[in-house]
Amino acid sequence: MSTAELLKGAAELFPGEVVTQAHVSHFELPANAGRFALITLDNGFDHKKPTTFGPQSLAHLDAALDQVEREASEGTIVGVGITGKPFIFAVGADLKGVELLKRHEDALAIGRGGHEVFKRIASLAVPTFAYYNGAAMGGGVEVGLHCTYRTVSAALPAFSLPEVFLGLVPGWGGCALLPNLIGADRAVTVVIENSLNQNKQLKGGQVYDLGIADALFEGADFLEQSLIWTASVLKGEVAVERPEVDRGEAWDQAVARGRFIADSKVHGAAPAAYRALEIIEAAKDGDLQAGFDAEDRALADLIMGGELRSGIYAFNLVQKRAKRPAGAPDKSLARPVTKVGVVGAGLMASQLALLFLRRLEVPVVLTDIDQDRIDKGVGYVHGEIDKLLLKSRINQDKANRLKGLVSGVLDKAEGFGDADFIIEAVFEEMGVKQQVFAEVEAVAPAHAILATNTSSLSVSEMASKLKNPERVVGFHFFNPVAILPLLEIVRGELTDDAALATAFGVAKKLRKTAVLVKDAPAFVVNRILTRFMGEIQNVIDEGTPVEVAERAVEPLGLPMSPLVLLELVGPAIGLHVSETLHGAFPDRFTVSENLAAVVKAGKRGFYVYAADNAAKPELDPEVAALLKQGDTVLTEEQTRDRVLDAVAQEIGLMLDEGVVAEAQDIDLCLITGAGWPFHLGGVTPYLDREGVSERVNGKPFLAPGVASVPA
């Protein structure tokens, strides 16, 4: 089957493709270097709708290559370049179409179609150049790898091969070409390590330093400088020298390093990283066609697998649903926020003050019970601003301005008399929070929104003694505040639309993923995690060894094990949340006597870490001596079933209670607030795929095709 026929067939499976044109223009290169053909990839939209490759887009590139191939063979051009529209080079395959595919052979055709088009670039009779002018990901990176030479803009903000993160492999040359260009170790960093590190992006300078690009130019006149450089290369005035790739033991060590990274991140739970490593391993002999064929097979197998469908589902949640929060009131109801008050000056409050300051750039004032605490809180914010200045993230003027906007006072009336948005981050105890809100309401303007960062307490009860409870809203951040995107916005029983709309407006300015949740105990993430952790703790208390209980959930590929997570959260906080939930739902949430003993003993967690191997924790002997266990010992599989059944039951009940609008919001919360992996789709697609939802609730959480292969 010809490439044109292959792409025509694939196009029928991709309705609604945003088609990328491949415009060919010609001009004389500087310094009389000859006539040059430039292909510009452009879908006709601005940078907010990045350029992608679906079947029709590939067909347009194929047609452009027909033209330049003819011109090259006739000798009327001396070279061919590929670049993108302003700010965007190209961001890879059109995932909207991929999720619609139902048959393995259709998935195989997508892989082959891309390869057949891109391979033509390398076979042209003249040198080819990729000019990475803007964001380049996936297939956008790969089209450039097929070129003879590459330049990159110093202003390029994002460059990656994110496929493994989503549950795919770089399937249009990335696995085969990249290690042959920059060596296996650097390729493993880009393909495996960066992908599994929350899809870490490279900047233009890093792309050049890795050897992916041969030249680096400033963004302002990037294309002009690239063409001057191109002329010098074609005239022989510039010789591009690349270090020789080590195809010996270093290659094998790189693959082994990749496997170690994959094991530590996904514990064998998701196949994509391992399939990519197999192709990189085989690419050692430099047989590119064999590598391309292996990419086609891996791509097709993974497209038809549950992990990719979950990955695309998760990607869509984060990219689309997060931008249009379900249940959020009309944004026109939001009130302006020109000053923020923060009650408390401890670590959490100081982190919040810094975030509001950086994103809103309005006055932020902290209060606390004594001047020393206030000074420490303001000092923390100043110190963090100094760090940003040191890293050149902000300039001196901006640093001075931000420092001038943050202050601290003992008198709430002085601090909050003209504040529009006041958030408390004090001790997690209902009486304390009610007292704080009563004090704040007495001095705050009538229009001010009163927000609480509570992690588990009732927002309605907190507001119940106020004259205006309608302006109280839950605003629950996740630690570390600067890193985790989730913000659970809690509507109390009396919270009005203006307060809620203002909260959502502020969340957007803070660049947080806001999810509307009902005022139910522990809201979403903490409720699910507490049930999850509680079941692990129950199994340990009943007699299962700690290491067995921990290993039981490794196949989920979570960011950390349950007891390491408990250490991060803090055993005392974990115990407090479990007590809160036990009070609300005593039949499902237990309070572990062993955990209580660990907290009473002042232990920071269950583990100790050897100085020479901090990555391998061992059970603290003092904690082991505290544990009182029964004699019921479960296997890893039995433990995993217990834990997953508990989670599925809890999510089912939360959806019945209307804690969130849909299962999609549960998954969005777990991905953005707890770092649960894309290959699980959060959790509900995984529970559906493994049959747990059906076993526990009698039905799946999601309709067929939502995060699975369409029927």
Side-chain angles (χ1 to χ4, degrees):
M1 186 185 291
S2 70
T3 303
E5 290 170 327
L6 200 64
L7 294 173
K8 187 172 183 294
E12 293 169 6
L13 304 169
F14 278 61
E17 177 188 346
V18 178
V19 179
T20 297
Q21 304 290 333
H23 304 291
V24 182
S25 56
H26 298 88
F27 47 83
E28 293 295 322
L29 283 169
N32 297 315
R35 188 167 180 262
F36 191 74
L38 181 67
I39 299 172
T40 303
L41 305 170
D42 190 346
N43 61 7
F45 294 90
D46 68 14
H47 64 278
K48 292 174 188 168
K49 194 179 277 285
T51 306
T52 55
F53 292 119
Q56 291 182 67
S57 305
L58 289 171
H60 280 287
L61 179 56
D62 197 44
L65 290 170
D66 283 342
Q67 180 182 341
V68 297
E69 183 180 63
R70 188 169 58 252
E71 292 168 351
S73 62
E74 291 168 353
T76 59
I77 56 173
V78 294
V80 175
I82 300 176
T83 194
K85 66 184 183 182
F87 309 111
I88 303 287
F89 182 78
V91 298
D94 182 351
L95 291 177
K96 294 194 302 295
V98 170
E99 62 189 314
L100 300 173
L101 297 176
K102 300 179 183 179
R103 301 185 310 160
H104 191 275
E105 53 264 43
D106 294 333
L108 198 60
I110 294 299
R112 285 183 179 153
H115 271 132
E116 291 306 313
V117 175
F118 288 4
K119 280 193 307 187
R120 296 186 64 194
I121 298 167
S123 65
L124 291 175
V126 293
T128 52
F129 299 78
Y131 306 129
Y132 290 124
N133 64 302
M137 298 172 201
V141 168
E142 289 170 304
V143 70
L145 295 179
H146 286 266
C147 293
T148 323
Y149 305 100
R150 286 155 294 282
T151 67
V152 67
S153 167
L156 181 147
F159 182 104
S160 64
L161 289 171
E163 287 84 353
V164 166
F165 178 67
L166 293 171
L168 273 177
V169 298
W172 286 342
C175 291
L177 288 170
L178 194 62
N180 280 292
L181 174 67
I182 61 173
D185 194 62
R186 289 179 166 187
V188 162
T189 296
V190 177
V191 175
I192 306 296
E193 187 172 15
N194 288 357
S195 273
L196 293 180
N197 187 15
Q198 293 298 310
N199 192 21
K200 180 182 176 183
Q201 300 294 315
L202 297 168
K203 304 276 195 254
Q206 295 169 304
V207 174
Y208 173 69
D209 291 341
L210 282 166
I212 299 171
D214 303 303
L216 175 72
F217 299 112
E218 290 303 318
D221 56 352
F222 168 70
L223 189 56
E224 182 185 344
Q225 291 300 319
S226 292
L227 293 171
I228 292 169
W229 180 84
T230 297
S232 300
V233 170
L234 291 172
K235 291 178 75 176
E237 295 166 1
V238 168
V240 173
E241 294 179 5
R242 298 179 185 133
E244 190 176 342
V245 171
D246 187 333
R247 298 181 185 279
E249 192 179 338
W251 195 290
D252 301 330
Q253 288 173 346
V255 173
R257 183 174 77 88
R259 288 213 171 90
F260 176 79
I261 292 165
D263 287 342
S264 66
K265 292 286 188 180
V266 300
H267 308 282
Y274 302 97
R275 291 297 292 268
L277 285 165
E278 286 170 13
I279 302 167
I280 292 171
E281 185 174 35
K284 183 178 179 180
D285 63 7
D287 185 342
L288 292 180
Q289 187 53 52
F292 296 161
D293 291 342
E295 286 176 345
D296 288 342
R297 290 190 297 273
L299 209 58
D301 292 346
L302 292 167
I303 285 173
M304 301 314 293
E307 286 81 6
L308 172 69
R309 303 305 171 126
S310 294
I312 294 175
Y313 163 82
F315 181 80
N316 287 336
L317 291 181
V318 170
Q319 293 296 317
K320 295 175 183 173
R321 191 176 184 91
K323 292 177 173 61
R324 292 185 291 276
D330 191 317
K331 59 186 176 186
S332 67
L333 298 172
R335 297 170 184 152
V337 173
T338 59
K339 183 177 179 181
V340 173
V342 181
V343 186
L347 181 59
M348 189 67 177
S350 302
Q351 288 184 69
L352 295 181
L354 178 68
L355 180 69
F356 279 94
L357 185 67
R358 287 195 64 201
R359 298 289 183 239
L360 270 60
E361 294 190 25
V362 299
V364 175
V365 60
L366 298 97
T367 68
D368 212 312
I369 56 173
D370 60 57
Q371 193 63 45
D372 284 349
R373 292 174 197 238
I374 292 169
D375 292 345
K376 191 176 177 184
V378 173
Y380 168 87
V381 176
H382 282 194
E384 292 301 306
I385 292 168
D386 286 337
K387 287 179 190 174
L388 293 170
L389 179 63
L390 203 61
K391 294 175 183 172
S392 300
R393 300 271 297 277
I394 56 174
N395 60 28
Q396 187 67 59
D397 284 348
K398 180 84 172 272
N400 293 342
R401 191 165 74 253
L402 290 177
K403 284 183 180 181
L405 286 170
V406 66
S407 61
V409 293
L410 271 170
D411 184 359
K412 291 187 178 68
E414 180 188 344
F416 298 158
D418 56 350
D420 306 303
F421 191 96
I422 302 163
I423 184 165
E424 68 75 24
V426 299
F427 185 66
E428 192 76 348
E429 203 278 313
M430 182 58 76
V432 174
K433 290 185 183 285
Q434 285 180 330
Q435 181 187 338
V436 161
F437 269 154
E439 292 170 2
V440 169
E441 187 182 45
V443 299
H447 70 272
I449 306 302
L450 309 184
T452 170
N453 184 45
T454 183
S455 60
S456 60
L457 300 177
S458 168
V459 174
S460 302
E461 187 181 344
M462 216 176 288
S464 62
K465 297 182 180 179
L466 299 180
K467 297 186 189 73
N468 299 106
E470 69 279 357
R471 57 173 167 162
V472 177
V473 64
F475 216 60
H476 180 215
F477 290 88
F478 289 79
N479 223 344
V481 170
I483 296 171
L484 288 175
L486 180 63
L487 183 51
E488 291 178 339
I489 295 185
V490 188
R491 180 169 207 156
E493 288 171 14
L494 298 175
T495 305
D496 66 18
D497 282 353
L500 208 58
T502 306
F504 275 99
V506 169
K508 187 173 183 181
K509 287 180 180 172
L510 295 176
R511 302 180 199 168
K512 292 295 182 184
T513 296
V515 175
L516 179 63
V517 304
K518 184 181 174 182
D519 186 18
F523 317 125
V524 177
V525 172
N526 284 347
R527 180 163 165 184
I528 292 170
L529 289 185
T530 303
R531 186 77 198 274
F532 174 85
M533 306 267 284
E535 209 56 46
I536 292 279
Q537 193 73 58
N538 289 343
V539 167
I540 292 170
D541 293 353
E542 290 165 17
T544 299
V546 169
E547 62 272 16
V548 174
E550 287 270 83
R551 278 200 310 268
V553 292
E554 278 188 358
L556 276 73
L558 298 176
M560 61 190 76
S561 74
L563 294 184
V564 172
L565 175 61
L566 180 67
E567 193 171 305
L568 182 72
V569 170
I573 293 173
L575 179 65
H576 174 75
V577 177
S578 68
E579 288 169 342
T580 301
L581 282 160
H582 176 69
F585 310 114
D587 57 324
R588 301 194 308 279
F589 288 86
T590 55
V591 178
S592 166
E593 289 183 13
N594 281 325
L595 180 57
V598 168
V599 172
K600 187 177 179 183
K603 305 301 290 185
R604 292 180 57 193
F606 276 63
Y607 290 127
V608 288
Y609 298 84
D612 59 339
N613 192 0
K616 193 165 175 59
E618 293 181 3
L619 187 63
D620 184 338
E622 292 179 17
V623 170
L626 291 172
L627 296 181
K628 293 178 180 175
Q629 293 182 280
D631 52 12
T632 302
V633 180
L634 300 185
T635 64
E636 289 178 25
E637 188 177 359
Q638 289 169 327
T639 300
R640 187 162 56 252
D641 285 348
R642 274 264 302 261
V643 172
L644 293 177
D645 285 4
V647 170
Q649 182 195 33
E650 203 59 39
I651 292 171
L653 291 166
M654 289 166 72
L655 292 172
D656 290 344
E657 292 168 26
V659 175
V660 290
E662 293 181 288
Q664 282 88 333
D665 294 310
I666 298 274
D667 293 319
L668 183 57
C669 285
L670 285 172
I671 292 163
T672 57
W676 281 34
F678 269 40
H679 70 258
L680 295 183
V683 71
T684 68
Y686 177 80
L687 295 172
D688 286 354
R689 196 163 70 234
E690 296 295 311
V692 181
S693 318
E694 196 82 41
R695 181 170 75 229
V696 174
N697 300 322
K699 60 182 181 181
F701 288 113
L702 301 169
V706 172
S708 54
V709 177

